[in-house]
Amino acid sequence: MHTVAILAYDEMSGFESGLAAEVFGMAELSEMFSAGIPAPWYSVKLCSETPEVRLLGGATVRTSYGLDDLAAADTVVIPSIRDVSQPTSPELVSAIKAADDRQARLVSICSGAFALAAAGVLDGRIATTHWIYADLFRQRYPGVDIDPAPLYVDNGRVLTSAGCAAGLDLCLHIVRSDHGTQVANDVARRLVISPHRAGGQAQYIDTPVPEPATDGRIAAGMAWALEHLDRAITLDDLAAQSAMSRRSYLRQFAKATGTTPIKWLTEQRIQASLTLLESSSFSVEQIAARVGFDSPVTYRYHFVRQMRTTPSEYRGCFTGETG
């Protein structure tokens, strides 16, 4: 069984470690929630430097696992650190380096990227963290290409995410990579969260909550688009479905989502294609048409940009075929 070690530390909020434990420990919660979760799932271990850690609010958690267990895990999750102004403890750095030497998957949420950087595993890589820490991170670790824009960055074996809630997006992304889109969507439904926010989506939106009336119109247009992905959809079509002018629609869509309508639509087409690649016998050309791309070439181009692999290679992960 794939072991996921989650770091616990003094004065942690519990949210970041809790969200990781919720996703990766879902099969252990109860029979009701584990129904439909594939086996084997993940085995979760909460690991800390000391037997007890204090949470914000006065609670104390006693852990059964230490840093040796963290170093031996298949996936290591560092869900932020106690104080970004202080150096990471030598013991934690050693544990991360040991996990890295074993080729474990290394994951950070929010300020957890500081611990990965302290261990040297982010050198030469693109990474992200909470946008508020980006300048400090850049000063302290100039060898890391820090990008404060995306929700998360997937470097294959090393993955980093932005602020706390973006950790949910990254954990779902990992489930999607390990078990496929259908399972990830099922996990998202159980958690009552969005099944997918692309890693490249902006983590900071100047006006994240638009006026309710505008939000409803934007949502209506998005819902219509999702029901008609197999057809050509223009910006004017989307604006018309939201009962707005083209200019107003562009402005309000950006406020509501932090991206552009066409970029969002392309991401939805790619996501819709994943299930077809995983479980259907349609050719890549047929799938491209079914999700609304005007040509297989366009589909492959956007697929590689978003998924960092080709449709055929992605399909091969689930079918063993590459054609």
Side-chain angles (χ1 to χ4, degrees):
M1 185 174 290
H2 187 105
T3 302
V4 177
I6 304 169
L7 178 70
Y9 56 91
D10 260 345
E11 298 184 16
M12 59 188 279
S13 71
F15 179 65
E16 296 99 323
S17 60
L19 69 86
E22 180 83 8
V23 172
F24 298 118
M26 182 165 287
E28 302 176 17
L29 295 181
S30 70
E31 290 187 6
M32 180 180 70
F33 282 101
S34 63
I37 297 297
W41 190 238
Y42 305 93
S43 174
V44 175
K45 294 182 177 180
L46 194 65
C47 305
S48 61
E49 295 188 44
T50 57
E52 287 188 353
V53 293
R54 296 164 295 173
L55 273 63
L56 292 179
T60 300
V61 172
R62 174 172 287 275
T63 60
S64 300
Y65 303 100
L67 293 185
D68 288 344
D69 299 287
L70 185 139
D74 299 303
T75 293
V76 173
V77 180
I78 309 297
S80 77
I81 58 175
R82 177 179 177 180
D83 187 349
V84 296
S85 67
Q86 298 298 316
T88 304
S89 75
E91 293 78 13
L92 178 56
V93 168
S94 295
I96 294 173
K97 286 182 175 179
D100 185 48
D101 289 342
R102 294 180 45 259
Q103 299 295 295
R105 179 164 55 193
L106 305 175
V107 180
S108 69
I109 299 173
C110 195
S111 61
F114 282 79
L116 295 188
V121 301
L122 295 182
D123 289 348
R125 288 186 162 107
I126 300 174
T128 193
T129 186
H130 194 296
W131 59 269
I132 202 169
Y133 298 133
D135 288 341
L136 175 61
F137 191 101
R138 195 174 288 114
Q139 294 169 13
R140 189 174 299 172
Y141 302 108
V144 181
D145 185 1
I146 193 69
D147 184 355
L151 291 175
Y152 58 84
V153 173
D154 181 351
N155 281 303
R157 193 172 57 80
V158 180
L159 305 93
T160 54
S161 74
C164 306
L168 272 173
D169 298 293
L170 180 53
C171 289
L172 271 182
H173 171 73
I174 291 171
V175 170
R176 189 180 300 108
S177 299
D178 289 350
H179 296 284
T181 303
Q182 287 184 315
V183 172
N185 288 348
D186 189 37
V187 171
R189 283 193 295 271
R190 294 163 193 267
L191 296 175
V192 197
I193 59 175
S194 172
H196 178 74
R197 290 198 298 168
Q201 182 172 324
Q203 61 168 282
Y204 176 69
I205 304 170
D206 188 36
T207 310
V209 183
E211 293 298 322
T214 299
D215 183 58
R217 287 182 289 167
I218 292 293
M222 296 170 80
W224 174 85
L226 292 175
E227 293 175 359
H228 297 84
L229 287 178
D230 59 338
R231 56 169 284 183
I233 299 175
T234 67
L235 180 58
D236 289 332
D237 291 331
L238 292 168
Q241 290 297 323
S242 296
M244 295 183 191
S245 69
R246 181 188 180 109
R247 183 176 179 180
S248 178
Y249 180 75
L250 281 170
R251 183 174 63 253
Q252 297 301 336
F253 192 96
K255 287 183 177 181
T257 68
T259 188
T260 67
I262 298 305
K263 183 177 180 181
W264 173 84
L265 182 60
T266 299
E267 291 172 349
Q268 302 314 304
R269 294 191 193 281
I270 295 298
Q271 288 304 307
S273 77
L274 298 184
T275 299
L276 296 175
L277 287 170
E278 294 168 15
S279 58
S280 81
S281 59
F282 295 125
S283 67
V284 170
E285 290 73 16
Q286 290 172 318
I287 291 173
R290 282 175 174 265
V291 297
F293 285 99
D294 57 7
S295 74
V297 173
T298 304
Y299 170 53
R300 288 189 179 96
Y301 171 77
H302 287 293
F303 193 98
V304 170
R305 288 195 66 183
Q306 185 167 323
M307 303 301 297
R308 300 190 180 186
T309 186
T310 67
S312 295
E313 289 171 342
Y314 180 89
R315 167 172 270 173
C317 294
F318 298 91
T319 66
E321 300 175 358
T322 57

